[in-house]
Amino acid sequence: NYLLDAINNFEHEIFVYGNAPTLMLQSLEIQLGILLIRNSLSGHIVLNIRRELYDDYIKTSIAYMHKYYSCNITIDDICNEIYLSSSYFKRIFKNETGNTPYQFLTEIRIERAKEMLKDKELTIREVARLCGFVNPGNLSAVFKRHMGISPSEYRKVYIEK
């Protein structure tokens, strides 16, 4: 439709004004040329470029989460790192990974907590703090929701093995 509109505008300008307003005709020629080039490009090229951009955003955001999982990071912190709006970032992250950024970060924290719980020297409070949870109660609630058992039960099961 854009291409047909541009052609109609071009024809209209030539018919009504002839060659008098050359700047207008040059502008329409450029628009027409851009539309022809854009329409002749394969959709795959555009999709591949977009995919590569998404991959870069996702890889950078995941690396950021792995680096700062123990801190109180927010979606805005991640978005500032990759220069995207939070709503756009959440949408592409969910489309690419199947999880929201918060779910993904929580998974990272749970995996790290599982590793740390194997160390008998660390208290549950220390594990919570080192994994970015607000307090041991928060760790317990999230851990139980994901694993089906509390951190202390997980530790007991691991130590018995």
Side-chain angles (χ1 to χ4, degrees):
N1 289 338
Y2 295 122
L3 188 56
L4 291 175
D5 288 343
I7 291 169
N8 288 335
N9 288 338
F10 189 70
E11 288 176 340
H12 177 71
E13 289 295 321
I14 290 173
F15 181 74
V16 173
Y17 299 106
N19 289 331
T22 56
L23 186 59
M24 175 63 90
L25 289 175
Q26 287 174 342
S27 171
L28 287 171
E29 286 172 349
I30 291 169
Q31 287 177 4
L32 187 58
I34 290 171
L35 287 171
L36 285 170
I37 291 169
R38 189 178 294 156
N39 284 332
S40 69
L41 287 176
S42 168
H44 296 297
I45 293 171
V46 174
L47 290 176
N48 286 340
I49 291 169
R50 185 173 291 153
R51 169 72 61 203
E52 288 174 19
L53 281 174
Y54 287 176
D55 287 348
D56 288 344
Y57 292 137
I58 301 306
K59 286 177 187 173
T60 303
S61 64
I62 288 173
Y64 187 88
M65 287 183 217
H66 277 284
K67 185 174 182 179
Y68 296 106
Y69 72 90
S70 63
C71 304
N72 188 20
I73 61 174
T74 65
I75 299 298
D76 288 336
D77 294 331
I78 298 167
C79 291
N80 288 338
E81 182 72 16
I82 59 176
Y83 307 107
L84 288 180
S85 73
S86 61
S87 59
Y88 182 68
F89 169 66
K90 288 180 208 176
R91 186 172 63 246
I92 66 168
F93 194 93
K94 174 81 172 174
N95 288 342
E96 296 298 310
T97 67
N99 289 320
T100 67
Y102 177 75
Q103 290 168 331
F104 198 90
L105 178 60
T106 300
E107 290 294 329
I108 292 170
R109 289 175 169 164
I110 292 295
E111 288 304 312
R112 290 294 298 140
K114 286 168 47 179
E115 291 172 26
M116 290 181 193
L117 286 167
K118 295 173 185 176
D119 181 355
K120 293 184 272 184
E121 301 298 317
L122 292 173
T123 66
I124 303 288
R125 178 176 298 282
E126 290 171 322
V127 171
R129 183 181 53 79
L130 292 170
C131 291
F133 291 97
V134 178
N135 56 45
N138 179 242
L139 166 63
S140 252
V142 173
F143 196 92
K144 190 165 189 164
R145 188 169 51 245
H146 285 278
M147 299 300 299
I149 58 175
S150 70
S152 56
E153 291 170 327
Y154 180 84
R155 177 175 268 170
K156 285 177 191 173
V157 168
Y158 181 78
I159 291 172
E160 288 174 2
K161 286 184 178 179

